[in-house]
Amino acid sequence: MEPMTNCIHMACTEIRAENLSGECSWIRELGGGRMGNFAGHGAKCVKRRAALSVKANPNCAEKADEYVEAAFERCYKDIYPFDRHPNLR
């Protein structure tokens, strides 16, 4: 699959990248002033950041939020090649 033309594939790739990168840790979100509620902040951050990345692709920009929503449930849970989330020690 080619992520630059398959927008759901791109959304999945971005969701996994944001989820596994540690960029959405509560410390980073709190420091950036983007954490309104502790519960569920990670998923909201991953969706927000993944949508921004998908919007940068002109082939996907118009419906980026829809693509992220469509891919989110499956891709947010995908932690391969790790046996657990790498940011959870």
Side-chain angles (χ1 to χ4, degrees), residues 25-81:
S25 72
W26 68 271
I27 294 171
R28 292 182 73 95
E29 287 293 284
L30 186 63
R34 290 180 293 272
M35 194 167 95
N37 187 2
F38 188 78
H41 85 276
K44 290 176 187 173
C45 173
V46 168
K47 282 183 182 182
R48 177 178 49 80
R49 292 177 58 95
L52 288 172
S53 294
V54 175
K55 286 176 184 174
N57 179 346
N59 296 321
C60 306
E62 192 172 305
K63 295 183 179 182
D65 293 322
E66 292 176 34
Y67 297 132
V68 169
E69 281 298 324
F72 190 78
E73 186 177 338
R74 179 177 53 89
C75 300
Y76 187 69
K77 295 176 188 175
D78 185 0
I79 57 168
Y80 182 81

Side-chain angles (χ1 to χ4, degrees), residues 1-15 54 67 71 74-75:
M1 287 203 202
E2 175 58 44
M4 294 307 286
T5 56
N6 183 330
C7 298
I8 291 186
H9 184 196
M10 180 181 187
C12 186
T13 300
E14 295 299 333
I15 290 165
V54 175
Y67 297 132
R74 179 177 53 89
C75 300

